[in-house]
Amino acid sequence: MTATPRFARVALPVPLGQAFTYLIDPLFEGRPGARVLVELGRRKILGVLIETDCAAPEHVPLDKIKPILQLIDPVPILNDELRTFLQELARYYIAPLGEVLRLALPAMERTTAEQLEKELGKKVKAVGRSLQVAQLRPDIDVATLEFPRGKSRQLVEFLVAHGPTEVSKLSAVFPTARALCKKLSDRLVVEIINKDQELDPFFKGSIQRDVPPVLNAAQASAVQAIVQAMNSDQSEQFLLDGVTASGKTEVYLHAAEQALALDRGVILLVPEIALTPQLVNRFRARLGDVIAVLHSALTERARLATWQDLRSGRLKVVVGARSALFAPVHRLGLICVDEEHDASYKQEEGVRYNARDMALLRAHRAGAPCVVGSATPSLSSEAAIQQGRMQRLVLPSRAHQTAQLPTVELIDLTRFGPGPTGDPLLSLPLHRALEATLASKDQAILFLNRRGFAPSLVCSSCGEIALCPHCSVALTLHRERGARLVCHYCEFQTKPPERCASCGGTRLLEEGTGTERVEALLAEAFPHARIARLDRDVAAGKKSEAIIERVRKREVDILVGTQMVTKGHDLPGVTLVGVLNADAALSLPDFRAAERTFHLLVQVAGRAGRADKPGRVLIQTRSIHHPAIVCAQKHDVRTFIAHEMLARKEVEYPPFVHVALVRFDGPDESTVAREARRVAGLVSEHTQVEVLGPAPAPLARLRNRYRYRFLLRAKERSALRQVLLVVARAPNHHQVRRTLDVDPQSML
Ligand code: ADP
Ligand code: ZN
């Protein structure tokens, strides 16, 4: 008599479907969240068990269903909390489950079967090195383990008692430690880890514990509300609404301390650009060595080690940019999202998720409070508050008694011409303000969201603009390290031409101003000033920290830069901030252009006068009556939000409706257009979902691929979802790539 076959559903890292059905051997006793080895076609690949007790699939003959070949983890690598969250995320974004699971597994845990075998081999071979540490695999329940007996058992018990231990130290207790470790690691009871966390730049040197400041009344009541939710295991949502430097970070720190006291784990998300050693040190100084930092410079091994330490609960707090939301934090008790309005929380490739939105979901499912904080809250938060889903916690003023908000002046570029440099973006009032700042030995920051020397090269006879041959955008002229034209979208580069490609004219004008040109003009105008520039061309990653450090040490008088200068830095010597062109962001073809501009201006303005000297902000614009600009001048977040909410309501855009973008791109324009029309046609009949488009994207060609899209708009999310499922299931033209973007952040 044969036993009735049992089926399991396995998520695989392929861009199809949700999960695949396999036969599962009851002896595997695998639990959801464990990795398994299976065959897909002829390939052996790793997947994650999603369900172990499912019904036989309806449309597949039983003899076609393959068995699971091997169980990799006796103990699930994803716990139930994280696994079900990922499943919901996949559902929400209509993203392939296997790809979503990859977000939560470091590369070494999602390698192919062959690589895994090699990895396991390497781990065992590497046991001889001194930096090797042995630890029990996470969540192993020693009491119920049958396998290890004798010496192995003693070694396991030693690890239970002492925690992770260097293999060389184990050898002192167990003469055959190396062999035992190898055996136990083959049997997946113990894991051998390379400790190269010491190499992590964020953890250089030890750190002094700091003394927490006494919270002011507003901070204290904010912390109290959060802690109350934590104590009652409620997943309340909070908006921490406070101007820059009002002490929001202190609130996160105090709430995190309380979570630790309850033996709960914490996730703190920060925008990509804000993840600096300075911030991390502030957290380490307060919370000690239970902190993990996830950042892009980690080696795969270090990332894996961090992951394992979080999973086992040895590390309890994780700080990182958006992907840290997927950290396997043990007993999750609190999620904080700093600068929640920041666009970098949205991942714009692969699985297009928004970490701010998903933080709310994960916290909700984990029964943990979620705090999103900002000086310029997003309209989503505002809507959530109005609907009673979110509670507002206000920090009304700056934490330092002496630190006042800076005065903000608007400079109407239609009235003021250029100052002595002759460049329209360095107006006379700005020039004078720079002189005054230099005279009083203070520092200035100038912000311009355009890198390079000149944004375009234009023929003076026929007006032709030098374009990227692969994209529908103008090439930017760069002067540094030799003159060249660069595409900021695809990195194409070429020498500036001698003649216009269209009419052969020889007078080519360098139109517009980028950060490089500003730097050059200032150097000429203020020969004694120390000038530095901060943008992607001079500083990738760590170098930008070094430049900021020079500003902090007062080795720089004027810092010119792009977005990189706007965020998070605490620079007490800066008293003047100039926004050279506030209109650039306003004119983007995006319904969030005003909101983005407002956020940007308030954030930049927040860089001025943080310590005891008053700050001054000059905003240059040609639209001095635009609400985003007027409200930024007055630091009037409420009026701006009220105004923008009305505007969105009128044109029916989020947060009043739900939208999704369906994008198409491919090498042949007419095929792409036809495919976009065909797919749009499939859903155009739906009564509750409006289809806007299809039309060419604002960036109509990128890397030689033509781009079309249509927007779906619905009052009810469920209706939007229905239509998206139709789109997702529609067969695809082989020459056209189709992507779904639910709650898009960028309309380009
Ligand atoms: P935010 O996160 O809102 O920008 P921070 O938490 O970074 O604000 O606080 C700004 C500055 O004020 C920091 O230098 C911080 O140490 C200080 N600070 C915050 N709260 C207090 C407090 N209650 N007493 C004294 N200083 C404080
Ligand atoms: Zn290009």
Side-chain angles (χ1 to χ4, degrees):
M1 209 178 72
T2 51
T4 24
R6 289 171 58 185
F7 302 97
R9 296 193 339 117
V10 177
L12 299 175
V14 290
L16 308 159
Q18 291 297 295
F20 295 75
T21 303
Y22 285 89
L23 275 169
I24 184 166
D25 186 331
L27 288 179
F28 279 165
E29 300 260 328
R31 285 198 274 132
R35 288 172 304 164
V36 290
L37 189 61
V38 296
E39 249 176 9
L40 182 73
R42 298 185 168 194
R43 271 195 307 155
K44 280 187 189 176
I45 59 176
L46 277 183
V48 175
L49 266 182
I50 293 300
E51 250 184 280
T52 49
D53 243 337
C54 354
E58 281 173 17
H59 309 293
V60 190
L62 287 190
D63 60 339
K64 286 272 188 286
I65 300 179
K66 295 179 181 171
I68 288 175
L69 299 175
Q70 198 184 330
L71 178 70
I72 307 294
D73 311 301
V75 172
I77 197 162
L78 296 172
N79 69 18
D80 288 350
E81 181 261 317
L82 185 50
R83 179 180 50 80
T84 51
F85 161 62
L86 293 167
Q87 284 176 259
E88 281 196 57
L89 185 144
R91 207 182 109 81
Y92 185 91
Y93 290 111
I94 315 190
L97 182 55
E99 302 216 328
V100 169
L101 292 172
R102 288 166 74 95
L103 296 172
L105 298 178
M108 282 170 68
E109 292 179 334
R110 52 181 153 83
T111 45
T112 60
E114 298 83 66
Q115 281 170 308
L116 182 83
E117 271 161 29
K118 257 196 252 159
E119 250 345 294
L120 288 175
K122 249 195 266 163
K123 271 190 199 172
V124 174
K125 273 193 220 114
V127 167
R129 296 213 303 264
S130 61
L131 264 180
Q132 301 292 318
V133 171
Q135 69 178 34
L136 289 178
R137 288 182 71 97
D139 304 340
I140 279 255
D141 184 357
V142 176
T144 61
L145 272 184
E146 295 211 332
F147 147 67
R149 293 181 210 285
K151 277 278 180 251
S152 316
R153 179 102 209 160
Q154 286 171 23
L155 192 142
V156 167
E157 277 160 7
F158 183 92
L159 290 177
V160 172
H162 295 86
T165 311
E166 276 175 37
V167 174
S168 57
K169 290 193 183 137
L170 281 176
S171 301
V173 188
F174 304 93
T176 55
R178 289 179 199 287
L180 290 175
C181 283
K182 178 185 179 328
K183 191 162 118 197
L184 287 166
S185 114
D186 284 348
R187 305 293 283 266
L188 299 164
V189 175
V190 160
E191 53 195 2
I192 310 296
I193 289 172
N194 240 336
K195 283 288 154 194
D196 46 4
Q197 207 172 41
E198 284 76 13
L199 303 177
D200 186 341
F202 278 111
F203 283 84
K204 259 193 226 137
S206 60
I207 189 138
Q208 288 270 313
R209 293 297 281 261
D210 74 345
V211 181
V214 178
L215 296 183
N216 60 38
Q219 286 173 315
S221 72
V223 171
Q224 199 195 353
I226 299 162
V227 171
Q228 220 162 41
M230 211 143 54
N231 279 327
S232 54
D233 281 330
Q234 272 173 23
S235 78
E236 266 177 72
Q237 305 186 351
F238 298 98
L239 169 67
L240 188 60
D241 180 349
V243 296
T244 39
S246 59
K248 295 186 291 297
T249 309
E250 274 305 325
V251 172
Y252 308 138
L253 284 167
H254 277 78
E257 269 185 309
Q258 293 296 319
L260 291 178
L262 294 169
D263 194 27
R264 305 289 296 263
V266 180
I267 297 176
L268 176 81
L269 299 185
V270 296
E272 247 157 44
I273 200 164
L275 190 64
T276 59
Q278 201 193 342
L279 178 90
V280 170
N281 283 343
R282 195 165 160 197
F283 272 76
R284 282 178 73 201
R286 189 66 57 77
L287 303 171
D289 287 327
V290 294
I291 291 191
V293 182
L294 290 171
H295 55 92
S296 51
L298 280 184
T299 64
E300 274 309 324
R301 257 181 196 285
R303 189 180 305 273
L304 181 65
T306 306
W307 226 260
Q308 285 163 334
D309 285 343
L310 284 165
R311 202 179 280 143
S312 67
R314 216 170 61 75
L315 296 177
K316 298 181 195 313
V317 180
V318 60
V319 182
R322 59 172 182 259
S323 65
L325 177 62
F326 304 109
V329 171
H330 198 59
R331 286 173 49 78
L332 181 61
L334 174 69
I335 305 184
C336 301
V337 183
D338 192 28
E339 312 278 12
E340 58 104 17
H341 63 277
D342 196 281
S344 77
Y345 285 123
K346 178 71 192 292
Q347 168 143 310
E348 296 290 3
E349 55 186 28
V351 181
R352 290 172 168 73
Y353 66 92
N354 188 328
R356 176 247 175 229
D357 300 347
M358 291 299 109
L360 294 168
L361 178 70
R362 183 169 178 188
H364 181 70
R365 292 291 182 257
C370 185
V371 185
V372 306
S374 178
T376 52
S378 64
L379 293 202
S380 317
S381 294
E382 187 61 29
I385 284 170
Q386 289 180 9
Q387 294 159 10
R389 285 184 282 126
M390 193 178 262
Q391 193 181 328
R392 191 196 303 273
L393 306 169
V394 181
L395 303 184
S397 53
R398 289 193 157 181
H400 286 290
Q401 285 303 316
T402 48
Q404 293 303 310
L405 287 173
T407 57
V408 182
E409 299 153 53
L410 301 183
I411 295 174
D412 184 351
L413 286 181
T414 63
R415 279 185 46 224
F416 286 103
T421 60
D423 192 289
L425 290 189
L426 292 168
S427 68
L428 188 60
L430 180 67
H431 197 96
R432 294 279 172 263
L434 282 170
E435 283 171 350
T437 306
L438 292 172
S440 59
K441 302 247 179 292
D442 290 322
Q443 294 170 292
I445 292 181
L446 299 184
F447 165 69
L448 177 62
N449 222 358
R450 265 271 159 80
R451 62 195 172 88
F453 190 82
S456 55
L457 197 63
V458 183
C459 172
S460 67
S461 334
C462 75
E464 178 85 1
I465 296 173
L467 296 177
C468 174
H470 311 294
C471 310
S472 53
V473 295
L475 292 168
T476 303
L477 179 72
H478 287 244
R479 279 280 182 78
E480 215 166 45
R481 283 169 278 126
R484 64 221 146 92
L485 291 172
V486 181
C487 173
H488 284 183
Y489 286 87
C490 75
E491 309 300 330
F492 167 83
Q493 296 201 8
T494 182
K495 273 200 161 149
E498 303 274 314
R499 304 169 163 277
C500 168
S502 166
C503 74
T506 50
R507 251 175 59 80
L508 301 178
L509 308 177
E510 300 170 354
E511 282 234 320
T513 304
T515 46
E516 240 185 66
R517 179 179 255 172
V518 173
E519 185 189 22
L521 290 171
L522 292 174
E524 225 171 276
F526 304 107
H528 301 297
R530 296 162 301 173
I531 298 164
R533 177 157 63 90
L534 181 56
D535 57 29
R536 220 148 48 77
D537 296 317
V538 283
K542 295 199 66 196
K543 255 177 108 185
S544 78
E545 247 329 283
I547 293 174
I548 290 291
E549 199 47 44
R550 278 172 50 214
V551 179
R552 200 188 325 278
K553 286 191 191 142
R554 304 262 186 153
E555 292 167 13
V556 171
D557 301 310
I558 305 176
L559 177 68
V560 182
T562 55
Q563 201 99 351
M564 294 170 97
V565 305
T566 63
K567 291 185 194 169
H569 315 297
D570 207 344
L571 300 169
V574 174
T575 57
L576 175 69
V577 167
V579 177
L580 299 192
N581 182 9
D583 307 335
L586 264 186
S587 61
L588 289 177
D590 192 317
F591 68 88
R592 287 195 184 83
E595 187 183 2
R596 294 262 163 71
T597 304
F598 179 74
H599 292 162
L600 191 66
L601 293 179
V602 174
Q603 297 289 334
V604 189
R607 297 307 114 218
R610 286 182 59 104
D612 39 6
K613 279 203 173 179
R616 185 174 174 210
V617 180
L618 300 183
I619 296 178
Q620 303 191 135
T621 175
R622 296 175 174 276
S623 350
I624 57 162
H625 299 300
H626 193 288
I629 301 215
V630 175
C631 293
Q633 184 199 6
K634 298 181 186 148
H635 286 283
D636 190 349
V637 180
R638 290 295 158 80
T639 304
F640 175 75
I641 287 180
H643 182 280
E644 187 63 16
M645 287 291 261
L646 272 181
R648 295 278 178 88
K649 193 166 193 169
E650 207 149 276
V651 295
E652 295 187 40
Y653 268 118
F656 295 97
V657 294
H658 304 289
V659 296
L661 258 186
V662 183
R663 295 191 176 91
F664 300 83
D665 67 80
D668 178 59
E669 181 168 18
S670 61
T671 311
V672 174
R674 211 173 329 114
E675 176 70 358
R677 278 196 298 273
R678 184 183 71 80
V679 178
L682 297 176
V683 296
S684 58
E685 301 291 292
H686 201 288
T687 50
Q688 292 170 55
V689 180
E690 210 180 335
V691 182
L692 299 150
L699 187 59
R701 191 165 57 117
L702 178 63
R703 295 190 184 88
N704 291 321
R705 295 177 74 89
Y706 291 87
R707 307 167 79 236
Y708 274 69
R709 81 301 181 42
F710 59 82
L711 188 74
L712 298 170
R713 172 157 81 179
K715 289 234 154 50
E716 298 299 327
R717 196 167 274 288
S718 55
L720 180 66
R721 188 177 155 69
Q722 255 181 29
V723 165
L724 281 169
L725 283 174
V726 173
V727 171
R729 286 171 189 157
N732 213 2
H733 190 287
H734 68 283
Q735 272 191 9
V736 180
R737 183 170 52 189
R738 180 172 67 211
T739 50
L740 301 187
D741 193 350
V742 179
D743 309 330
Q745 281 290 318
S746 161
M747 306 300 281
L748 295 180

